[in-house]
Amino acid sequence: MVFNTGAALLDAIVLSVVSAEAEGTYGYHITQEVRELLDVSESTLYPVLRRLQRDNCLSVYDKEYAGRNRRYYRITQQGMAQLNMYRGEWQIYSARITSILFAGRSSE
Amino acid sequence: MKKEVFLKELEYLLLDLPCEEQKEALAYFRDYLGEADDEEEAVRRLGSPEKVAAQIKAGLSDETGGEFTERGYQDGHFREDYQVPDQYAEMAVSGKDSGKEASDGNGCEEKQESGFADGADPEGCCWDSFAREGKSCREEWSKWRREKEQRYESRWEGTCREKENRQEKEAPRWWEYKEPKKERGSFFLFLCLLIFGLLAAKALLEAGFSVLGGILGVVFGILGSVFGLIFAALMGAIAAAGTGIGLIGAGIANLSSPAVGTMLIAGGFFLLAAAVLLLLLAGWGCSTAVPWMIRLVRNAARAVGLWLGRIFDSQRRMRGDSV
């Protein structure tokens, strides 16, 4: 990707991925989902998840799976509010960029 | 690199962090690697422990220096020769698959397996970066500890694991636990407070009865006055009616003198009107004021009864406690 984007986008994507599952989802799954969209290294997402957890955007709980522990991340109300804010901001931002990049193309 | 080697190195690299952060990070990466089908491949994709440790530490600072570039997510903090403890910065070698080097020729893998299995500190371990430098892990560990102890002097409490082990040892076992001895002073204080409390309650109760008597006196006084007024109104009405009738009779008898007769008759009617008014007043008193007074007294008596009951209950409880 040639465009540089700040870490807020990563927060938004992680929140969106987590919010897709009502029961929450686990770190490995989140990483694989994000890696399908963005070229991030696998270790990048732990600090993001930890920060979102500290900011009360995500809550965690442990569940046994196949004889070992699996930590699930679930979006909180505060996280949902943050995600909605990101969604609104992204719509405004992307619409502006689109209007500039594709200005006059429809009349051509 | 094997999962356990990766986690052990990561644990070492995170020793500077608070215990909670160390535990969270290690638990996450242990779970993460447990999910992968091929653990060694997953470790390779994560990158070197130095890079992962740098990312974790950068995530804990308020700086958000990362951004997406044409080469993916980049952050200056995450360079592999960055953010590792200063004295070991030169040991972090970027871009090499260190796992293979570690196992070259010096039999480290066997030592790692045995050393890590019992969870001991680097006794017998052989971390890749040290192995590459040809350094003894034990010596490096001792050196690191000495530096920590010198830097933090008495404030250095050891690693998280050492702290936990120490706390576990210090905490008394259930069979060693003894009830703390009660101090005699506190018993005497309790006794004094109890006696003082009982005396105060008695005085308050006596004062309460006096106040209660006063209130009852006022209530019955008002009640008596109302009954008296009603009785007086009734008697007044009878008297006025009698007198009025008498005056009217006298007026009729004295009509020979029209002025006197008319005045007597008028006076008689005036008294009759007054009698009717007094009768109405007595009737209102009997139908409205007396029932209201009775209700008032009944409610007051009920409230006083409840109050007294509560006082007696609390006294009984106090006596029971003291016994």
Side-chain angles (χ1 to χ4, degrees):
Chain A
M1 190 173 349
V2 294
F3 299 111
N4 299 351
T5 315
L9 182 62
L10 194 56
D11 285 8
I13 290 169
V14 168
L15 286 173
S16 189
V17 168
V18 176
S19 72
E21 304 281 341
E23 291 292 305
T25 185
Y26 51 98
Y28 190 80
H29 182 251
I30 297 167
T31 306
Q32 301 314 315
E33 289 264 315
V34 174
R35 272 169 62 82
E36 284 179 14
L37 306 168
L38 297 170
D39 183 20
V40 291
S41 81
E42 296 206 19
S43 52
T44 303
L45 287 182
Y46 171 72
V48 177
L49 288 168
R50 184 75 181 129
R51 189 178 66 251
L52 290 170
Q53 189 190 335
R54 276 205 309 271
D55 294 344
N56 294 323
C57 290
L58 295 178
S59 62
V60 295
Y61 66 95
D62 294 325
K63 201 170 164 183
E64 196 189 324
Y65 175 80
R68 60 185 166 74
N69 185 60
R70 191 184 252 180
R71 175 156 286 191
Y72 280 80
Y73 293 84
R74 191 160 43 193
I75 196 160
T76 61
Q77 273 193 329
Q78 201 169 317
M80 210 57 222
Q82 187 76 5
L83 177 60
N84 287 333
M85 187 274 284
Y86 282 137
R87 282 172 174 160
E89 288 290 316
W90 178 256
Q91 276 179 333
I92 295 166
Y93 177 76
S94 58
R96 279 181 189 165
I97 300 298
T98 307
S99 71
I100 292 167
L101 291 182
F102 298 97
R105 289 202 52 181
S106 58
S107 61
E108 283 172 10
Chain B
M1 190 191 285
K2 288 198 171 178
K3 176 185 163 187
E4 288 306 323
V5 181
F6 174 87
L7 291 171
K8 191 71 193 174
E9 279 204 44
L10 187 62
E11 184 183 4
Y12 165 74
L13 290 164
L14 298 179
L15 282 172
D16 287 345
L17 296 182
C19 287
E20 194 198 339
E21 294 298 336
Q22 288 182 37
K23 276 190 203 167
E24 282 285 332
L26 288 168
Y28 176 87
F29 285 103
R30 183 169 287 112
D31 292 353
Y32 189 90
L33 293 172
E35 296 287 342
D37 297 329
D38 183 347
E39 282 186 359
E40 287 198 35
E41 172 59 19
V43 169
R44 193 192 61 73
R45 287 203 308 268
L46 276 177
S48 69
E50 287 88 349
K51 190 191 89 174
V52 175
Q55 282 179 314
I56 294 167
K57 288 177 186 181
L60 290 172
S61 71
D62 292 330
E63 295 169 31
T64 49
E67 60 178 11
F68 293 109
T69 70
E70 56 270 30
R71 284 174 295 167
Y73 189 78
Q74 301 280 317
D75 189 333
H77 291 99
F78 306 159
R79 293 205 313 271
E80 298 204 347
D81 58 349
Y82 195 74
Q83 276 283 326
V84 291
D86 292 340
Q87 62 268 42
Y88 299 128
E90 70 276 8
M91 297 179 193
V93 180
S94 61
K96 291 183 184 175
D97 188 353
S98 49
K100 285 177 189 165
E101 292 182 20
S103 60
D104 282 349
N106 53 11
C108 281
E109 276 195 334
E110 290 78 22
K111 279 198 249 174
Q112 283 165 358
E113 294 296 333
S114 59
F116 298 146
D118 60 9
D121 275 324
E123 194 76 39
C125 81
C126 190
W127 296 336
D128 297 348
S129 47
F130 296 152
R132 282 195 296 274
E133 297 291 314
K135 295 181 179 180
S136 151
C137 188
R138 192 172 189 167
E139 280 171 20
E140 291 303 316
W141 175 262
S142 306
K143 189 174 144 197
W144 184 83
R145 280 204 69 109
R146 271 200 305 281
E147 281 177 15
K148 278 279 176 198
E149 281 163 359
Q150 278 166 7
R151 192 184 299 173
Y152 298 109
E153 293 177 345
S154 59
R155 284 179 291 136
W156 170 247
E157 294 176 326
T159 64
C160 283
R161 201 184 297 170
E162 284 169 345
K163 266 193 276 184
E164 278 176 5
N165 288 344
R166 201 164 50 241
Q167 279 164 2
E168 209 173 295
K169 273 181 196 161
E170 281 168 4
R173 303 277 185 271
W174 62 269
W175 62 86
E176 292 169 348
Y177 183 76
K178 286 176 188 166
E179 280 286 330
K181 281 183 185 173
K182 284 177 185 170
E183 288 177 22
R184 290 187 73 174
S186 63
F187 175 72
F188 283 120
L189 185 68
F190 171 74
L191 207 65
C192 289
L193 279 172
L194 189 71
I195 292 164
F196 178 77
L198 283 172
L199 288 172
K202 188 171 172 277
L204 280 171
L205 207 63
E206 282 168 2
F209 276 125
S210 311
V211 171
L212 187 69
I215 291 168
L216 282 175
V218 169
V219 169
F220 281 110
I222 293 170
L223 204 63
S225 306
V226 169
F227 274 114
L229 281 171
I230 291 169
F231 186 72
L234 206 62
M235 290 299 109
I238 291 166
T243 314
I245 290 165
L247 280 175
I248 290 166
I252 292 167
N254 288 303
L255 271 178
S256 53
S257 170
V260 175
T262 310
M263 269 181 67
L264 285 170
I265 289 168
F269 276 111
F270 179 76
L271 282 174
L272 273 178
V276 170
L277 270 176
L278 285 169
L279 208 62
L280 284 173
L281 190 68
W284 175 81
C286 286
S287 65
T288 309
V290 170
W292 177 78
M293 289 293 293
I294 289 168
R295 273 202 304 276
L296 189 75
V297 169
R298 195 179 56 201
N299 291 341
R302 197 177 293 161
V304 169
L306 283 171
W307 179 63
L308 284 174
R310 235 174 274 147
I311 287 175
F312 285 129
D313 270 354
S314 64
Q315 273 206 330
R316 203 179 307 133
R317 234 174 282 135
M318 279 174 75
R319 275 200 297 274
D321 287 348
S322 65
V323 172

